[in-house]
Amino acid sequence: MFTNVEHIGIAVKDLSVADALFSTLLNSTPYKHEEVATEGVRTSFFKINETKIELLEATRDDSPIARFLEKKGEGIHHLAFEVDDIRAEMARLKAEGFVLLNEEPKPGADQKLVCFLHPKNTHGVLIELCQSIRE
Ligand SMILES: CC[C@H](C(=O)O)C(=O)SCCNC(=O)CCNC(=O)[C@H](O)C(C)(C)COP(=O)(O)OP(=O)(O)OC[C@H]1O[C@@H](n2cnc3c(N)ncnc32)[C@H](O)[C@@H]1OP(=O)(O)O
Ligand SMILES: [Co+2]
């Protein structure tokens, strides 16, 4: 089951520059910085009540974020939803014809298992499914 919007992912060229802007904008500071080497990204997370913003900078030229920036420039990169059972949702969505970009849940940032759906089947929006990893 989809339970809530978990975060909005924003691709940025320079994380420290974007951190400063979003800190001023939100009158807040990031609660976490985390590198996810498997994705070739460095992230910064802001939280306002239950709303999370994930800023993403590429750490490698072959990172999805690097390619996105190359093609589209900075901007909203993906919409992440929290799910209660990522494997069940992946099987359900695959059966419904959505294209899973990873066949197995993979480690994400902020203590999550994640899966991405190809934007060609979701009206041009890259969708991420996130399930919290129980401590
Ligand atoms: C996991 C850590 C963290 C977390 O929250 O835990 C993250 O969120 S990490 C985020 C970075 N990782 C990913 O995005 C993984 C999933 N993404 C991919 O597999 C690729 O980026 C993919 C398949 C979406 C696009 O791959 P690529 O850029 O190599 O292909 P193309 O350039 O040919 O793009 C194909 C087609 O899709 C359009 N596109 C690409 N990225 C996006 C996007 N973010 N939103 C919407 N559309 C996107 C691109 O423009 C092409 O469309 P076309 O009409 O053919 O030009
Ligand atoms: Co994300």
Side-chain angles (χ1 to χ4, degrees), residues 49-110:
N49 293 324
E50 291 313 302
T51 301
K52 284 166 60 177
I53 300 290
E54 177 189 54
L55 303 179
L56 302 120
E57 177 190 16
T59 55
R60 297 194 310 255
D61 290 346
D62 63 347
S63 151
I65 295 300
R67 282 185 58 84
F68 181 87
L69 288 169
E70 221 174 85
K71 283 191 92 167
K72 297 174 177 272
E74 293 186 311
I76 292 177
H77 179 261
H78 61 275
L79 185 53
F81 291 94
E82 179 120 37
V83 294
D84 56 359
D85 181 341
I86 193 165
R87 288 183 185 281
E89 289 304 310
M90 288 170 68
R92 180 179 70 81
L93 293 169
K94 187 168 184 178
E96 293 282 1
F98 290 86
V99 176
L100 306 187
L101 290 165
N102 49 290
E103 286 299 325
E104 286 296 318
K106 61 181 178 179
D110 212 17

Side-chain angles (χ1 to χ4, degrees), residues 26-49:
L26 304 173
N27 199 15
S28 173
T29 52
Y31 69 89
K32 159 181 285 195
H33 287 98
E34 185 178 349
E35 184 158 340
V36 183
T38 49
E39 294 296 318
V41 296
R42 182 178 301 124
T43 65
S44 173
F45 283 91
F46 289 83
K47 193 168 184 184
I48 321 153
N49 293 324

Side-chain angles (χ1 to χ4, degrees), residues 104-117:
E104 286 296 318
K106 61 181 178 179
D110 212 17
Q111 300 281 306
K112 299 278 185 298
L113 281 178
V114 302
C115 174
F116 289 87
L117 306 181

Side-chain angles (χ1 to χ4, degrees), residues 13-27:
K13 290 183 192 131
D14 182 319
L15 203 59
S16 53
V17 171
D19 262 359
L21 187 279
F22 277 85
S23 297
T24 305
L25 176 71
L26 304 173
N27 199 15

